[in-house]
Amino acid sequence: MRRISDHQLHILSVVAKHERICIGLPVDAEWAPIAAELRTLAKWRFLVEEATDDGPAYTVSADGQAKLDL
């Protein structure tokens, strides 16, 4: 399994806490780094990305939950 940073692990835990995160579109400069981390975690299959009218929404995948349970 891919190694993730403490910052990425924190983002993963926040998504898990809220069950689903959608930060909306367009992403302003303040949220751009978080949006990039969410996309990266989805690309690595720790999050599931779902397209919505408001922008991508993210939920924790089984691999992401396994990483949180370590």
Side-chain angles (χ1 to χ4, degrees):
M1 198 176 281
R2 187 179 290 268
R3 182 172 167 87
I4 64 175
S5 71
D6 288 341
H7 179 70
Q8 290 167 325
L9 191 59
H10 174 71
I11 290 171
L12 194 59
S13 71
V14 169
V15 175
K17 177 183 173 188
H18 294 283
E19 296 181 11
R20 186 171 186 258
I21 297 284
C22 179
I23 60 174
L25 288 178
V27 175
D28 64 25
E30 185 176 319
W31 283 96
I34 301 298
E37 291 291 356
L38 290 167
R39 281 190 301 274
T40 297
L41 289 167
K43 183 177 101 177
W44 293 345
R45 301 181 194 264
F46 293 119
L47 293 175
V48 176
E49 183 179 85
E50 173 191 354
T52 71
D53 291 341
D54 296 326
Y58 298 92
T59 55
V60 176
S61 69
D63 286 345
Q65 189 60 52
K67 192 58 112 170
L68 288 170
D69 292 341
L70 290 178

